[in-house]
Amino acid sequence: METSHDSDTKSEEAGIDHDSLDLQRGDEALKLIGARRTTQFTEEYNKKLRRKLDKLIIPLCAAVYFTQLLDKTSLNYASIMGFPIIGQDYNLVSLAFYLGFLLWEFPTVYISQKLRLAKYLGVNVVIWGAILMLHAVGTSFGAFFALRFLLGVFESCVAPILILVISMFYKKDEQATRISWFYAMTGLSQIFGGFIAYVHSPVHARFLTKEERIAALERVRDDQGGTENKTLKKGQLIEAMTDIRTWLIVLTTLMTSIPNGGLGNFSNLIIKNFGYTSKQTLILSTPIGVVTIGERMIPIVFSLVPTIVGAAIVIGLNGSGQKGALLFGTYLVGTFGSALSSIYAYNASNTSGHTKKNTVNAMTLVAFSFGNIIGAEIFQPGDAPDYIPGKIAVMVLLTVQLGISFLLRWVNMRLNIKKQAQIAEMKARHGWTDADVQREREKHAFADLTDKE
């Protein structure tokens, strides 16, 4: 570890006042470290710290996400094991979870901004555990609808909080990998069972020494993503709502979530219709989870193409009696879910400003829940047992999502080119070097500014 006292001569000559930042409206991290970097940590030290973070944060995030996914998919397993709710009532019970999720997403995100993330998440975990246990005594449509609705309410905080945790502790080039690791629980939840745990931000992380907390914050300073801020900022909320990238993310999430809502509740019924018994179906559905795990780190486009091919196989071979080929097509369909982990990673690494990040995460999860509500209705009882209209809908929606993904990539490339031009103009105007630009980035890293400010 080294201490640095670099001068800011050129910045001062350009009229930049390092003490002019509004620290009261800045990031929580400013309570522990200043606006300017004064401490340098060696690469060896940072690697050791990252390994320590990986050993605790990722397993804990994975455990929480695993437990949530197991809760959500429990209805899918019950559907072939004598579940008392059938037909259209089953569809309504399926969407009840996402209705609660939809209605409570924005409130839960902004409540979590005001409180310590770990404590708020912990309370929600305990409550949803109690609600899930009550499923064992439910027998009527009304009881199951109410329980699934409440389950959605108390589980709606999980994804946005976990995305924030990853973005607070990890650098941008590390976030996508870590999110894919805990999002792999989507697959594991179809195979095993899990446990519950949670963590705080780097500012309050008790498992780190003070020096390690400072190092953890300095690691992410260059990314300018910040950690947390308790103030709800109207300007950031408006910016999130008016950013075209937000709506493209919402749209691509919606395109992914409609198939998820259908297949998440009906995939076992589809497999059983190939001619398998209930017990065989439970066993044969587990490879869908394995396929999901293997695809997590592949870009969105490469996760969607196999699903489109798989849907085409299942539709084309419908009624052929070729159980092996139909089952293989169903496994391919399971790859599309990894696109959502890429969306989560995008939000974590490409959105700055705590209120803006919370708003974008909330809008993403609202689109997720709304899509799942629609998805629960694309597999209609009248289309059973083949559900051909639902399968066609899956194929069409994900084909559309391919186009949206390419459009979002184009928008980001345009914005990056524009930002580089602005930096070049600023360097020329003030006579700055790359080192001067870096110092300015470091100074504003924890000022709780958005990616456009």
Side-chain angles (χ1 to χ4, degrees), residues 73-352:
T73 56
S74 60
L75 197 63
N76 191 21
Y77 303 125
S79 67
I80 60 170
M81 301 296 290
F83 188 59
I85 310 301
I86 58 175
Q88 183 60 27
D89 284 349
Y90 177 79
N91 289 53
L92 294 175
V93 168
S94 299
L95 67 80
F97 176 93
Y98 296 103
L99 183 60
F101 203 103
L102 172 68
L103 295 178
W104 193 242
E105 188 59 45
F106 270 101
T108 200
V109 163
Y110 292 124
I111 291 172
S112 69
Q113 181 171 348
K114 295 292 185 180
L115 305 174
R116 291 283 181 88
L117 292 180
K119 290 181 172 59
Y120 183 67
L121 179 58
V123 169
N124 279 272
V125 168
V126 171
I127 294 175
W128 99 50
I131 293 172
L132 190 65
M133 287 190 290
L134 289 174
H135 281 57
V137 299
T139 57
S140 66
F141 165 77
F144 279 113
F145 187 93
L147 289 170
R148 297 299 292 181
F149 178 89
L150 291 174
L151 198 64
V153 166
F154 290 103
E155 291 191 21
S156 62
C157 67
V158 173
I161 287 180
L162 296 187
I163 293 171
L164 283 176
V165 167
I166 295 297
S167 67
M168 288 191 292
F169 280 94
Y170 291 97
K171 297 163 67 175
K172 285 185 178 181
D173 60 359
E174 299 167 346
Q175 291 169 6
T177 303
R178 270 70 188 178
I179 287 177
S180 73
W181 288 350
F182 81 70
Y183 195 82
M185 295 301 107
T186 305
L188 285 178
S189 67
Q190 294 178 280
I191 307 172
F192 305 108
F195 57 93
I196 299 172
Y198 39 86
V199 296
H200 279 303
S201 76
V203 181
H204 306 289
R206 294 182 180 180
F207 68 94
L208 299 176
T209 66
K210 182 177 180 180
E211 181 179 270
E212 287 173 335
R213 293 201 301 272
I214 293 173
L217 291 168
E218 293 294 357
R219 285 182 74 246
V220 300
R221 184 189 285 271
D222 289 343
D223 293 336
Q224 297 186 295
T227 56
E228 59 180 333
N229 185 289
K230 303 300 183 185
T231 304
L232 180 62
K233 299 180 179 179
K234 182 180 178 181
Q236 291 192 12
L237 192 153
I238 293 173
E239 182 178 316
M241 293 286 191
T242 56
D243 191 332
I244 186 174
R245 295 172 298 172
T246 302
W247 293 103
L248 289 175
I249 283 294
V250 166
L251 195 55
T252 195
T253 303
L254 185 65
M255 294 299 103
T256 303
S257 302
I258 294 175
N260 184 71
L263 296 172
N265 292 299
F266 289 88
S267 60
N268 281 345
L269 290 173
I270 291 172
I271 293 175
K272 186 176 182 181
N273 182 54
F274 296 158
Y276 297 106
T277 65
S278 295
K279 185 178 292 186
Q280 289 172 329
T281 298
L282 286 176
I283 296 172
L284 291 172
S285 67
T286 59
I288 296 176
V290 176
V291 170
T292 302
I293 294 170
E295 292 293 323
R296 288 300 165 204
M297 298 182 66
I298 297 178
I300 289 179
V301 171
F302 292 100
S303 69
L304 296 179
V305 171
T307 295
I308 294 169
V309 172
I313 291 173
V314 172
I315 294 168
L317 295 180
N318 182 64
S320 66
Q322 299 182 43
K323 294 198 294 184
L326 289 166
L327 190 61
F328 174 71
T330 303
Y331 292 161
L332 285 181
V333 169
T335 65
F336 81 97
S338 58
L340 193 56
S341 69
S342 298
I343 294 170
Y344 287 169
Y346 176 91
N347 286 354
S349 61
N350 288 274
T351 311
S352 299

